[in-house]
Amino acid sequence: MIHVENLTKYYDDLLAVDHINFDVRKGEIFGFLGPNGAGKTTTVRMLSCLTKITEGEAYINGYSVKKDKKMVKKSIGVVQDTANLYGDLTVKQNLKFIAELYGVDKKRVNEIIKEFELPADRKFEKLSFGFKKRATLAAAVLHNPPVLFLDEPTVGLDVRSSYAIQKLILRLNKEGHTIFLTTHNMQIAEKLSHRIAIINKGKIVAIGNKYQLKTLLKKKIKIEVEISNIQKQITSELQTFSPRIEGNKVIFFAEDVHEFLEQFYQITKKYNIKTKSINTVLPSIEDVFLEVTK
Amino acid sequence: MKKAYYIAKKDFFEYFIKPPTLSWGITFPIAFALSFLIRGKDLFFLAPGLITLASFFGTTSMASAAIVFERRMKEFERMIVAPLDYWEIVLGKMIGSFLFGMLTSIVTILFIIPLLGMYSLNLGTLGIALVLSSLVFAAFGVYISMMINDPRNVMVILNSVRFPMMFLSGVFIPLNTYPFMLQIIAYALPLTYEIELLRWVLTNNSFLNPFITIFGSIIWILLFFVLSIWALKRRY
Ligand SMILES: Nc1ncnc2c1ncn2[C@@H]1O[C@H](COP(=O)(O)OP(=O)(O)OP(=O)(O)O)[C@@H](O)[C@H]1O
Ligand SMILES: [Mg+2]
């Protein structure tokens, strides 16, 4: 549904997206995960004809983004990273205007207002943040596009609104929309996406479903220990196990549990550290993310 | 074509009663015109310029509200992402500004005509002059608004274009008393043509021949229309 070849973007001298390649299959939710400034928004903007492609090619629904802009635009719905409906117009006026731009029957406006449970007669700027996101999502699907681009659709939302948006995304996917979803939230990427690409500094550093991504970890065993007091020595002397402090726990990664336990025991003895608990847990996408975006 | 109309309609409802459009578009020109008319002796000379300035400020303010502010909030990108042609976007934005320009010039005329006792006007030629000049300014305003890179500077940039034009286009001093170099500049400014056209309609005593001003207006409209499409294409 989306085919991207060597897609590259320079803003003057700044290389924002660096020769990326990927395919998004029909019916899929494709998570595009990356830290701030990685190039997620720039990628979405290139694919939705909002900024010029410096180099490379992209095809959406079979149409070239460079040459066949109008057909591409008909095939996509875009939720940008800002709530960009018209503030002074009501939700209904906004949706009507968008229906006019896309040549969609006005009846569909009322349908979608119901479907998304939107307050039709409130001005857009008066809506809560969560409803603004809902309304922009409704505006993006008004013309029933096969492909949806959602740029950080849940960022800044409280748990309940975020959950509601996630449910909507899953429903839209079930109804047949292929979804390209950018986020820097691993849980959401992991929960919603069929496949995930991780982008860092403009480059795709990992791609695949969550099981495939986890096989990318060199040290596949994740160990969580709780100790009496966290001291520098424990992280510095056990550097080979990629230690990371999270709250009152220290996380290690090992290829071999036995090897880890031996060294860990020596260090705790040497510095007189007491171990309260020790567990092995399954690595998460977050662990993969932290490793590949180092 | 229809989509251009939808854009204009939306802008009309959204911006016609917004404070910046109102103050720069109506209050300012009217106050300005009145203050001159009350003091000025040469009412017949000043009237065409003041009415044209009202339309000039009105359309360009409207264009900047409907384009620059929308670009800042990324609402403008809704139209880029939709399957529209660039000329439809430019035309839509132009029509919205044009309507506002018509409104401001008509309002100003209703103020000024009774003061001057000009009751035997040819409404046909007056209409043509107002339509042409509002279209020129609308196209000009759209082009400037497309070119501005940083939306925060919009008023500064707009006024740094508007005020010099105002003083160089023969509003306050007759064109034929300008030094030669300034006359050349005046004839390179769209505002001059529109003031001269209206001067011909109102007083039948213009420096430029009406055929030149009408033909010139059409050229300005086409030029800024094409330049705006080009500016839009360059950006997206
Ligand atoms: N219009 C622009 N002009 C110049 N540089 C830009 C522009 N937009 C983005 N950049 C730069 O390009 C890089 C990628 O930015 P981008 O917005 O695509 O990242 P992102 O992954 O969406 O980040 P975030 O999570 O913060 O939204 C950044 O270094 C950013 O500063
Ligand atoms: Mg972003």
Side-chain angles (χ1 to χ4, degrees), chain B:
Chain B
M1 198 70 193
K2 216 172 171 183
K3 290 181 179 171
Y5 157 73
Y6 292 135
I7 293 173
K9 191 178 72 175
K10 196 259 333 159
D11 281 355
F12 189 91
F13 285 118
E14 199 182 359
Y15 297 108
F16 261 39
I17 45 166
K18 267 200 170 169
T21 351
L22 274 189
S23 68
W24 279 96
I26 293 193
T27 327
F28 171 75
I30 290 177
F32 189 70
L34 283 180
S35 74
F36 268 95
L37 290 178
I38 290 161
R39 279 188 295 143
K41 297 160 255 156
D42 224 350
L43 294 187
F44 280 90
F45 175 76
L46 282 173
L50 295 178
I51 294 165
T52 310
L53 280 183
S55 162
F56 182 54
F57 276 80
T59 43
T60 45
S61 299
M62 173 76 180
S64 75
I67 296 173
V68 183
F69 291 117
E70 279 192 15
R71 273 179 42 209
R72 178 164 63 192
M73 304 302 291
K74 290 200 183 163
E75 295 146 339
F76 193 79
E77 297 190 342
R78 292 231 157 247
M79 284 176 294
I80 305 294
V81 129
L84 301 178
D85 287 320
Y86 288 150
W87 68 263
E88 288 175 307
I89 301 175
V90 170
L91 187 63
K93 291 291 175 189
M94 248 179 83
I95 296 172
S97 312
F98 160 77
L99 290 175
F100 195 69
M102 286 301 286
L103 184 77
T104 42
S105 42
I106 290 169
V107 169
T108 322
I109 282 186
L110 293 178
F111 264 94
I112 288 179
I113 288 198
L115 286 176
L116 297 181
M118 285 177 176
Y119 294 115
S120 58
L121 278 173
N122 180 335
L123 288 180
T125 49
L126 178 66
I128 289 172
L130 294 187
V131 168
L132 280 178
S133 60
S134 293
L135 277 176
V136 171
F137 300 146
F140 175 76
V142 169
Y143 175 61
I144 297 281
S145 307
M146 296 284 188
M147 291 303 289
I148 292 175
N149 273 323
D150 188 349
R152 280 167 300 181
N153 301 333
V154 55
M155 273 306 156
V156 178
I157 293 173
L158 206 53
N159 287 335
S160 70
V161 176
R162 292 196 287 203
F163 282 97
M165 276 176 81
M166 185 167 97
F167 289 107
L168 289 168
S169 300
V171 180
F172 307 106
I173 309 164
L175 274 179
N176 56 358
T177 63
Y178 278 26
F180 181 69
M181 275 315 289
L182 286 186
Q183 273 191 35
I184 300 277
I185 293 174
Y187 292 133
L189 298 175
L191 186 57
T192 312
Y193 291 76
E194 309 321 309
I195 293 172
E196 287 301 301
L197 178 56
L198 193 64
R199 192 183 303 292
W200 174 72
V201 170
L202 292 182
T203 66
N204 201 7
N205 186 18
S206 58
F207 304 101
L208 282 175
N209 180 301
F211 290 108
I212 292 179
T213 50
I214 288 174
F215 185 69
S217 301
I218 293 168
I219 298 285
W220 285 121
I221 295 166
L222 293 176
L223 178 70
F224 288 124
F225 182 66
V226 171
L227 283 176
S228 300
I229 295 173
W230 170 79
L232 197 56
K233 275 207 174 122
R234 211 187 46 151
R235 200 175 283 280
Y236 296 103

Side-chain angles (χ1 to χ4, degrees), chain A residues 11-12 14-17 34-43 45 81 151-152 182 184 199:
Chain A
Y11 292 109
D12 299 322
L14 185 127
L15 179 55
V17 173
N36 290 124
K40 303 182 294 291
T41 299
T42 304
T43 304
R45 288 177 65 80
D81 54 356
D151 196 357
E152 309 262 9
T182 86
H184 51 240
I199 182 170

Side-chain angles (χ1 to χ4, degrees), chain A residues 24-157:
Chain A
V24 178
R25 299 166 196 153
K26 192 170 176 188
E28 183 168 65
I29 298 184
F30 187 80
F32 205 55
L33 185 63
N36 290 124
K40 303 182 294 291
T41 299
T42 304
T43 304
V44 169
R45 288 177 65 80
M46 281 193 281
L47 294 178
S48 50
C49 309
L50 283 171
T51 194
K52 290 220 164 82
I53 294 172
T54 312
E55 207 189 307
E57 251 298 4
Y59 298 87
I60 295 176
N61 204 10
Y63 302 108
S64 157
V65 174
K66 273 176 160 172
K67 293 181 202 113
D68 224 347
K69 282 195 166 54
K70 209 160 184 182
M71 289 313 292
V72 167
K73 289 174 181 181
K74 280 186 186 165
S75 309
I76 63 173
V78 186
V79 173
Q80 290 191 244
D81 54 356
T82 51
N84 64 338
L85 284 168
Y86 302 92
D88 273 343
L89 302 184
T90 66
V91 171
K92 195 169 181 176
Q93 285 167 335
N94 265 298
L95 293 173
K96 255 191 182 159
F97 174 58
I98 287 158
E100 287 169 344
L101 290 188
Y102 282 90
V104 172
D105 192 335
K106 300 270 171 63
K107 270 189 235 144
R108 173 97 174 118
V109 171
N110 291 326
E111 270 171 37
I112 208 128
I113 285 175
K114 263 210 196 102
E115 198 184 313
F116 280 71
E117 298 167 23
L118 294 168
D121 298 315
R122 302 252 342 242
K123 277 194 178 178
F124 180 70
E125 66 180 3
K126 296 269 156 65
L127 297 181
S128 70
F129 201 68
F131 268 100
K132 278 187 179 159
K133 282 278 175 196
R134 263 181 117 85
T136 47
L137 197 55
V141 297
L142 202 57
H143 61 293
N144 235 326
V147 179
L148 278 176
F149 287 97
L150 312 179
D151 196 357
E152 309 262 9
T154 55
V155 77
L157 297 178

